[in-house]
Amino acid sequence: MAEIINTGSKKNLHLKMRNKKSTRVDLTPMVDLGFLLITFFVFTTTMSQPKAMNLNIPNDKGQAFDPVCETSAFTVVLGQNNSLYYYEGLDENAQYKTTGYPALGIRNILVQKKKSVLSLRHKDDFILIIKPSAKATFKNLVDMVDEANICCIKRYYITELNEKDKEIIHRTENR
């Protein structure tokens, strides 16, 4: 509660004696209103929930052999300086091609491959294999997983490079 008390001074005694009343301002309703507004806005705002992407992790206790059809497999190798190397099919007869991360790059390629697998197999058997190299950044891996989610790819694996992949990347990056 706030109060303003105004006392007269001795200089003004010769003036006409006036009845001075104290001006009292009660701030209790203002404080109550402030707390009501604060509680209203706290209770009506929604807190932003952190969003995490689901990541399917394989069971390491069983045998790790999954037969993969050659027409369904698509492998992306993440290189240095935001470069991508990709090939269709299995490792034995791989013909490496290069692209980048823009939407007209890898996203179009993934969409086209997914459509071709759907037309050949008549079901969604598309499998994306992601192989980050030692010189690839973590951002590159996250960008590739994001592209897989944007393209609605249900099955993708993150695995290590084999010797042939390392040799191809070493040859192309040291040009």
Side-chain angles (χ1 to χ4, degrees):
M1 183 149 75
E3 209 174 286
I4 300 174
I5 300 174
N6 203 358
T7 59
S9 64
K10 294 182 179 180
K11 292 180 183 177
N12 294 333
L13 284 179
H14 66 277
L15 294 173
K16 212 190 240 185
M17 223 30 187
R18 289 190 288 189
N19 189 7
K20 291 191 175 186
K21 296 183 180 180
S22 67
T23 308
R24 182 174 178 270
V25 178
D26 188 14
L27 294 178
T28 306
M30 184 66 78
V31 172
D32 290 344
L33 179 65
F35 279 111
L36 282 174
L37 286 173
I38 289 172
T39 55
F40 172 76
F41 286 117
V42 165
F43 288 131
T44 57
T45 57
T46 57
M47 303 294 177
S48 65
Q49 299 294 325
K51 296 180 182 177
M53 186 170 51
N54 292 334
L55 184 63
N56 296 328
I57 300 173
N59 185 2
D60 290 338
K61 295 177 183 169
Q63 190 172 353
F65 179 74
D66 289 336
V68 176
C69 180
E70 187 170 350
T71 59
S72 301
F74 187 81
T75 304
V76 176
V77 179
L78 310 177
Q80 70 179 7
N81 298 329
N82 297 329
S83 60
L84 290 172
Y85 306 95
Y86 66 94
Y87 59 90
E88 298 181 33
L90 300 177
D91 293 340
E92 295 85 33
N93 52 1
Q95 295 179 355
Y96 290 82
K97 298 175 186 170
T98 306
T99 188
Y101 287 96
L104 295 176
I106 192 65
R107 189 177 304 165
N108 278 349
I109 295 167
L110 290 174
V111 168
Q112 292 297 328
K113 179 64 179 175
K114 187 174 178 182
K115 285 181 183 176
S116 69
V117 168
L118 191 61
S119 67
L120 287 173
R121 310 268 304 167
H122 301 294
K123 61 181 178 176
D124 190 12
D125 282 344
F126 182 66
I127 298 171
L128 176 64
I129 302 168
I130 302 171
K131 297 181 177 182
S133 70
K135 295 182 180 179
T137 62
F138 184 72
K139 180 185 180 307
N140 295 142
L141 179 63
V142 170
D143 288 344
M144 194 62 224
V145 172
D146 284 344
E147 289 295 331
N149 282 327
I150 289 170
C151 296
C152 299
I153 297 172
K154 295 177 185 173
R155 287 182 295 276
Y156 59 88
Y157 301 103
I158 300 172
T159 186
E160 296 178 0
L161 296 175
N162 58 21
E163 292 302 319
K164 184 177 180 182
D165 295 331
K166 290 178 185 177
E167 178 186 322
I168 295 292
I169 288 177
H170 182 71
R171 248 190 288 147
T172 56
E173 289 180 350
N174 290 331
R175 286 184 192 175

